[in-house]
Amino acid sequence: MFTSIYIITTPDIELINLSQLLHPQISVCCHLNIFKMSSMDTPSNTLQDSDLHDLGLSDDEPETATSVLNKFQTAWINEKLSPEILSYQGDYVECLMEQIKHMDNNVRKLDKRDLRSGLHALELSRIKYMLTDYLRVRLEKIEKYTYTILEAESSRSGDNLFLSEGEFQFAKDFFGNTQTALQTIALRHFPRPLASFDPAKMSVQPPMNSYVFVKAKKEVSGLIVPTHDPEEQDEELDLEENSQHILPYSSVAALVKDGTIMLI
Amino acid sequence: MFGVKAFELIRDLTLTGPEALPLYNSETVRQVLEEMRVLYERNQRDVNNSVNEDSSYLGTVHLRHAALERNKRCLLAYLVNRLQRIRDLRWDFGSVLPGDVAGSLCEQEVQWLQNYNRHLATYMRGLDGLDLTQEHCPPKSLCLEVRCLQDYGLFELEDGEQVLLKKDSIHLLPRSECLMLIRQGVLEHIPH
């Protein structure tokens, strides 16, 4: 849905073409062509594999703004629907932020009476919304499950972190702040043996067993789904490609994270 | 009966609905803390007695301890839920809460909110000034038709144009610039 507008503008693409929209010095993965969908696409517009390797994007296909957007959209939907926090899509976020900034400038340069300027600006605000909402949903989860998330994060190693640096700092600050507030209002007035506060016992846990709607992007075989009845055996399930199911989140958590299935 | 006061706090929260923030009930909080102190002192006394091999007190001690735990749990739940609501209000109204809401916070909660604002600002600075508190719904159009609810005076748009916001006047403004004013109650969105 976000790409539709780029197709509309195809015939007159010179007016807002790549050279205007993309700053030549945009660094790293933002050096992508934004109108992959358009007829302007020539081999020279797509990045070479070797370039991508330098950029740290090891995908076989060259990354275009459209594909980044699509992938980010999936990540956003997953994040919005999953009960626990997923790993931070830092590359996509940075890339989109650069793109937005750049397109913002270009849209501003356009004649205001031009119909396309309005359409572009609206499309841009939609992408912006997607980005801010992604970050917002993550913050909400961090605030709600601060302790659980911080605990899990501290057990992860350098390359495998789920939070961005800013989010991690925010989580720590938020946790400390809330602790201090509880301490000063209530805990310090409690009789001494009760005055301790054990967040492990009292904090809210994400509802990992809540049911989610999922769609398999690839075929999955032998998925184990636990049953509620202790006497029955756990169910084993095969998911066909593109099939949709309602399953407890805990049974598919790993598959959501590696991108085999997505939440819907 | 034990735990009644603590339960009152929880009921306070549910009675006002999930969004509104009830007045901070300092009197009841004080009473709960007082009840806990008394319970604890009596328990302490009875435990000292039962050390001298008189175990008939044990049942009472257990009951009081359960009441203590319950009070603690209720009180903390009350406070944490309030913080959660204050946080929601902050996202709705911006960093300065309107007077009537701000009045129902206690001193430490005000302190908490200030810290929270600071931490949130730090986080958003790291995002190149992306303002996460704007745009809570997917944008449907670039401009919004709005009615002015009060005499606000001149309002300068991002591109330098100035608009005179007079009471009952109707304008078509870029959504990103009038969302804040709508939330502050200066403008009212006219849905189509």
Side-chain angles (χ1 to χ4, degrees):
Chain A
M1 61 178 163
F2 288 104
T3 53
S4 55
I5 187 165
Y6 302 128
I7 305 170
I8 299 173
T9 60
T10 310
D12 285 311
I13 198 114
E14 291 83 25
L15 220 161
I16 346 166
N17 72 6
L18 282 177
S19 53
Q20 283 177 310
L21 277 171
L22 276 184
H23 192 274
Q25 263 115 43
I26 291 180
S27 56
V28 267
C29 52
C30 302
H31 183 60
L32 311 160
N33 72 54
I34 189 121
F35 290 125
K36 180 77 195 334
M37 302 290 284
S38 76
S39 57
M40 288 291 286
D41 246 338
T42 58
S44 64
N45 272 355
T46 53
L47 290 173
Q48 300 301 313
D49 276 355
S50 57
D51 290 347
L52 282 170
H53 192 70
D54 294 343
L55 304 177
L57 296 168
S58 51
D59 285 0
D60 294 333
E61 286 174 38
E63 294 274 354
T64 63
T66 323
S67 73
V68 168
L69 202 54
N70 286 339
K71 281 185 191 162
F72 181 71
Q73 197 180 350
T74 314
W76 168 53
I77 295 171
N78 278 346
E79 187 70 68
K80 230 176 146 65
L81 297 174
S82 85
E84 64 165 348
I85 200 157
L86 301 175
S87 88
Y88 180 63
Q89 303 293 326
D91 288 347
Y92 296 155
V93 171
E94 270 171 40
C95 178
L96 281 180
M97 277 206 305
E98 284 289 332
Q99 290 283 4
I100 286 173
K101 222 190 280 172
H102 199 70
M103 284 172 69
D104 217 11
N105 283 335
N106 286 304
V107 167
R108 249 167 240 226
K109 282 183 210 147
L110 290 175
D111 186 355
K112 280 221 162 142
R113 282 161 298 179
D114 194 335
L115 172 68
R116 276 167 310 197
S117 112
L119 288 175
H120 271 296
L122 183 56
E123 193 63 12
L124 196 56
S125 65
R126 288 190 174 133
I127 300 177
K128 249 190 228 167
Y129 168 73
M130 199 162 85
L131 187 63
T132 49
D133 199 55
Y134 174 73
L135 296 170
R136 197 161 45 220
V137 168
R138 290 179 62 85
L139 271 199
E140 270 164 31
K141 284 187 193 168
I142 290 175
E143 284 167 5
K144 209 164 173 188
Y145 311 124
T146 325
Y147 179 73
T148 321
I149 289 175
L150 278 175
E151 274 291 285
E153 189 70 1
S154 61
S155 67
R156 293 193 184 101
S157 61
D159 296 339
N160 204 15
L161 293 177
F162 269 30
L163 303 183
S164 75
E165 223 170 279
E167 283 170 342
F168 187 58
Q169 188 57 44
F170 179 81
K172 279 196 294 189
D173 289 344
F174 183 81
F175 188 65
N177 191 16
T178 309
Q179 289 284 74
T180 320
L182 293 181
Q183 194 73 40
T184 47
I185 303 177
L187 289 171
R188 69 188 167 116
H189 301 298
F190 284 177
R192 197 161 321 131
L194 286 161
S196 68
F197 177 70
D198 185 5
K201 272 191 205 152
M202 294 224 177
S203 58
V204 191
Q205 307 281 340
M208 296 293 277
N209 282 322
S210 60
Y211 279 75
V212 288
F213 288 78
V214 302
K215 180 177 174 181
K217 284 157 96 181
K218 293 178 207 145
E219 202 180 304
V220 179
S221 55
L223 181 69
I224 309 272
V225 181
T227 46
H228 294 300
D229 194 343
E231 283 174 24
E232 273 179 54
Q233 276 205 325
D234 289 350
E235 211 174 327
E236 207 174 310
L237 201 66
D238 293 339
L239 311 182
E240 283 171 33
E241 193 177 337
N242 284 330
S243 59
Q244 300 181 359
H245 307 264
I246 308 175
L247 294 170
Y249 178 75
S250 55
S251 63
V252 293
L255 295 172
V256 172
K257 280 171 198 158
D258 69 19
T260 321
I261 65 173
M262 66 176 284
L263 303 178
I264 49 173
Chain B
M1 209 163 70
F2 306 141
V4 173
K5 287 289 170 194
F7 180 64
E8 244 173 51
L9 291 176
I10 304 291
R11 205 170 45 195
D12 250 13
L13 285 178
T14 43
L15 279 181
T16 48
E19 268 147 35
L21 184 72
L23 193 69
Y24 179 71
N25 202 336
S26 61
E27 180 55 26
T28 313
V29 171
R30 202 190 53 75
Q31 285 171 353
V32 172
L33 288 173
E34 177 63 21
E35 184 184 299
M36 289 178 77
R37 197 184 57 78
V38 172
L39 281 171
Y40 180 71
E41 273 173 10
R42 285 194 199 153
N43 252 5
Q44 196 69 39
R45 209 180 50 214
D46 285 357
V47 168
N48 286 341
N49 288 343
S50 57
V51 170
N52 308 330
E53 290 176 20
D54 180 5
S55 58
S56 59
Y57 288 115
L58 274 181
T60 341
V61 170
H62 273 295
L63 179 72
R64 288 201 195 108
H65 191 74
L68 274 169
E69 291 280 355
R70 184 183 163 81
N71 276 346
K72 177 179 174 183
R73 185 115 208 171
C74 287
L75 188 51
L76 289 179
Y78 175 70
L79 296 174
V80 169
N81 275 286
R82 281 181 62 86
L83 292 183
Q84 179 69 30
R85 286 183 195 187
I86 295 170
R87 176 252 174 223
D88 290 347
L89 289 168
R90 186 255 170 265
W91 280 75
D92 281 348
F93 290 110
S95 54
V96 181
L97 295 182
D100 54 335
V101 182
S104 28
L105 268 64
C106 76
E107 201 183 310
Q108 289 91 343
E109 284 171 334
V110 174
Q111 186 64 40
W112 179 87
L113 182 64
Q114 277 171 4
N115 287 334
Y116 180 78
N117 282 333
R118 213 180 52 235
H119 298 150
L120 191 65
T122 315
Y123 174 66
M124 289 202 287
R125 255 202 308 280
L127 296 171
D128 270 350
L130 201 66
D131 191 352
L132 298 185
T133 56
Q134 301 277 336
E135 301 269 4
H136 280 269
C137 308
K140 285 215 166 63
S141 60
L142 265 190
C143 294
L144 290 180
E145 201 173 337
V146 287
R147 184 184 293 120
C148 205
L149 296 177
Q150 46 177 275
D151 282 315
Y152 185 77
L154 274 183
F155 177 62
E156 191 171 331
L157 298 180
E158 219 175 275
D159 55 7
E161 259 179 77
Q162 289 193 331
V163 187
L164 181 63
L165 298 179
K166 256 177 82 176
K167 193 168 186 309
D168 294 331
S169 60
I170 292 182
H171 307 268
L172 192 66
L173 296 176
R175 58 175 294 124
S176 57
E177 297 182 44
C178 57
L179 276 181
M180 204 59 225
L181 291 175
I182 292 178
R183 253 183 265 153
Q184 287 170 2
V186 178
L187 301 173
E188 173 193 46
H189 179 214
I190 311 172
H192 293 287

